[in-house]
């Protein structure tokens, strides 16, 4: 019998959601968990019958039995935790964003290439049922030629952990950037952006500005997808903007277009060209895509399997579109077949740096910023 892939999860807030998925995945051992809070560590460990527990991340990385580390630590720790794990010879899955500086993005890409381990940014939007539905439409030719893409992620971050207050909106832009680019990827060429222009609008409270020196309530960026004639627009807000949670993307094609629901519980819309004006729009039900997964983890696309429904990620995020088991499947398949994950390190760096460079552009009054090549 083949040796199982032994996975460790770091960070047990949102990260705990992935424990039962790994436990149900064939050929995987959900081996270890890590959390600085020992009481929470033991609570989660007891609940899921995991005996290997760490309060110190460096101790976890010294455990030679661990093959892969799934990082769900606070945003400021993503880069350092990823670099340490790769240096220790572990495969890495890391929640978004990859990092909060261009320098750290470059370091991760270079180290990943050097150690030849899998790196995957665990971007929920490109494995959500809505994205998979639109991707299926595009692959079947139903959209025709893609003409324009738009993403938005508006969220009230009051009450979130200490590193969130005043965070520049575009530093956490991958949820609206990634589906626009993922849709344009081909098997041989990931879609990336070369440059970005961004404008900031409005102003957040002075006490929030003091944290990062970022004044804007909303940042809106445009970028052209490399090697195409398609542009995309993305919008982010985190504080002092009245809007129900919205994590969305719209796709405009020559034959059909897809527009996200306006409010939670609403319906998505398909616009079909060539019809009488009243018949162009129609509401559409987006199906689940659990059939793409191994049978043992198919149930985890459903909201009923969420471990902590009171976590703010789910109160506001609506369960991330059933993406969690798809993310696990993509990561494990990349390890098993020794192939790049989607998104891999260079692609993740570009998608992250679109946001980082967009904020730089906003702070410079809308200057065009070239995104560094990876």
């Amino acid at each position: 019998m083949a040796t199982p892939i032994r996975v460790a999860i770091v960070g047990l807030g949102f990260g705990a959601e992935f424990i039962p998925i790994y436990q149900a995945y064939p050929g995987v051992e959900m081996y270890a968990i890590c959390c600085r809070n020992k009481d929470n560590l033991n609570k989660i460990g007891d609940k899921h019958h995991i005996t290997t527990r760490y309060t110190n991340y460096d101790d976890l990385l010294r455990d030679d039995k661990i093959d892969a580390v799934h990082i769900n630590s606070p945003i400021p720790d993503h880069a350092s935790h990823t670099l340490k794990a790769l240096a220790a010879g572990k495969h890495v899955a890391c929640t978004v964003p990859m990092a909060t500086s261009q320098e750290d993005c470059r370091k991760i890409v270079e180290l990943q290439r050097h150690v030849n381990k899998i790196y995957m940014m665990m971007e929920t939007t490109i494995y959500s049922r809505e994205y998979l539905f639109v991707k299926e439409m595009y692959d079947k030719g139903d959209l025709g030629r893609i003409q324009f893409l738009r993403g938005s992620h508006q969220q009230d971050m009051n009450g979130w952990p200490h590193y969130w207050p005043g965070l520049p909106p575009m530093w956490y832009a991958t949820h609206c950037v990634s589906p626009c680019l993922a849709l344009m990827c081909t098997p041989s060429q990931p879609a990336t952006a070369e440059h970005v222009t961004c404008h900031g609008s409005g102003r957040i409270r002075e006490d929030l500005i003091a944290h990062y020196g970022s004044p804007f309530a909303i940042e809106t960026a445009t970028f052209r997808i490399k090697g195409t004639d398609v542009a995309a627009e993305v919008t982010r807000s985190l504080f002092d903007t009245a809007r129900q949670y919205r994590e969305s993307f719209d796709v405009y094609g020559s034959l059909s277009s897809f527009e996200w629901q306006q409010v939670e519980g609403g319906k998505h819309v398909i616009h079909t060209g060539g019809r009488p004006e009243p018949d162009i729009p129609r509401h559409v039900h987006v199906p689940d895509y659990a059939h793409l997964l191994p049978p043992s983890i198919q149930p985890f696309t459903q909201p009923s399997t969420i471990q902590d429904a009171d976590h703010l990620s789910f109160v506001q995020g609506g369960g991330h579109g059933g993406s969690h088991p798809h993310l696990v499947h993509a990561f494990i398949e990349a390890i098993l077949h020794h192939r790049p994950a989607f998104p891999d390190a260079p692609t993740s760096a570009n998608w992250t740096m679109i946001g980082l460079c967009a904020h730089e552009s906003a702070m410079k009054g809308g200057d065009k910023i070239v995104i560094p090549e990876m």
Side-chain angles (χ1 to χ4, degrees):
M1 185 175 180
T3 302
I5 296 171
R6 294 190 175 94
V7 174
I9 287 183
V10 179
L12 298 178
F14 170 58
E17 295 296 324
F18 291 90
I19 291 174
I21 305 175
Y22 284 114
Q23 287 179 324
Y25 199 100
V28 170
E29 180 182 349
M30 182 58 250
Y31 171 75
I33 52 177
C34 181
C35 177
R36 285 174 286 203
N37 183 314
K38 191 168 184 177
D39 289 341
N40 191 46
L41 177 72
N42 289 330
K43 177 183 176 183
I44 298 295
D46 290 347
K47 177 180 179 180
H48 295 286
H49 309 290
I50 299 169
T51 57
T52 305
R53 308 171 187 178
Y54 293 96
T55 56
N56 183 285
Y57 183 58
D58 292 334
D59 290 342
L60 178 147
L61 294 180
R62 282 190 283 269
D63 189 332
D64 292 335
K65 292 182 179 179
I66 295 171
D67 301 301
V69 178
H70 185 159
I71 297 168
N72 298 275
S73 53
I75 287 175
D77 296 331
H78 287 184
S80 62
H81 283 177
T82 295
L83 289 165
K84 283 185 175 182
L86 289 171
K90 315 296 187 188
H91 301 293
V92 175
C94 183
T95 190
V96 301
M98 172 186 262
T100 57
S101 75
Q102 296 179 35
E103 179 184 3
D104 281 341
C105 287
R106 182 175 294 280
K107 286 179 179 178
I108 291 169
V109 171
E110 291 176 348
L111 182 57
Q112 184 274 327
R113 285 175 174 154
H114 177 70
V115 300
N116 195 30
K117 293 294 181 178
I118 299 299
Y119 171 90
M120 179 176 171
M121 183 173 73
M122 301 294 265
E123 175 50 65
T124 56
T125 58
I126 63 171
Y127 288 95
S128 69
R129 60 180 65 90
E130 292 85 0
Y131 171 81
L132 295 172
F133 174 73
V134 175
K135 181 68 166 65
E136 184 177 65
M137 286 186 66
Y138 182 46
D139 290 345
K140 289 164 59 179
D142 292 346
L143 295 175
R145 181 185 184 88
I146 291 181
Q147 308 287 26
F148 183 69
L149 298 141
R150 178 185 289 121
S152 73
H153 181 188
Q154 295 187 262
Q155 186 170 4
D156 181 359
M157 303 305 292
N158 283 306
W160 282 68
H162 64 90
Y163 54 87
W164 282 104
L167 189 81
M170 282 291 172
W171 278 18
Y172 188 71
T174 62
H175 287 335
C176 54
V177 166
S178 298
C180 297
L181 286 158
L183 197 63
M184 298 295 292
C185 289
T186 67
S188 61
Q189 184 62 53
T192 57
E194 294 179 294
H195 51 75
V196 62
T197 300
C198 183
H199 291 280
S201 181
R203 189 173 183 87
I204 57 176
R205 303 187 303 275
E206 297 302 318
D207 62 303
L208 294 175
I209 295 172
H211 290 275
Y212 294 92
S214 173
F216 303 118
I218 295 177
E219 291 181 333
T220 296
T222 56
F223 55 89
R224 185 172 297 279
I225 298 169
K226 185 177 180 180
T228 77
D229 55 7
V230 178
E233 170 202 323
V234 292
T235 299
R236 283 291 283 118
S237 65
L238 293 167
F239 295 96
D240 293 351
T241 303
R243 183 35 164 117
Q244 185 187 40
Y245 182 96
R246 177 177 165 89
E247 188 179 299
S248 69
F249 68 97
D250 303 327
V251 182
Y252 296 92
S254 60
L255 300 179
S256 297
S257 300
F258 173 88
E259 290 184 334
W260 196 273
Q261 63 194 29
Q262 283 295 309
V263 296
E264 191 67 28
K267 294 182 179 180
H268 306 300
V269 178
I270 298 255
H271 297 266
T272 303
R275 294 181 174 181
E277 196 68 21
D279 299 332
I280 289 175
R282 62 181 173 90
H283 288 128
V284 63
H285 170 72
V286 173
D288 194 38
Y289 284 82
H291 64 277
L292 300 178
L293 299 167
S296 61
I297 64 168
Q298 289 179 3
F300 294 100
T301 64
Q302 299 302 312
S304 59
T305 61
I306 291 172
Q307 302 296 302
D308 180 8
D310 294 326
H311 192 280
L312 282 170
S313 289
F314 301 112
V315 172
Q316 294 182 331
H320 297 148
S323 61
H324 298 173
H326 292 281
L327 288 164
V328 168
H329 183 51
F331 181 49
I332 297 301
E333 284 285 287
I335 295 172
L336 286 172
H337 299 287
H338 308 286
R339 66 189 186 204
F342 182 66
D344 61 8
T347 307
S348 301
N350 183 267
W351 295 1
T352 298
M353 288 194 299
I354 290 171
L356 300 179
C357 293
H359 177 64
E360 180 183 346
S361 171
M363 294 298 287
K364 293 179 177 179
D367 287 355
K368 181 189 287 186
I369 303 297
V370 176
I371 300 166
E373 287 279 352
M374 287 291 113

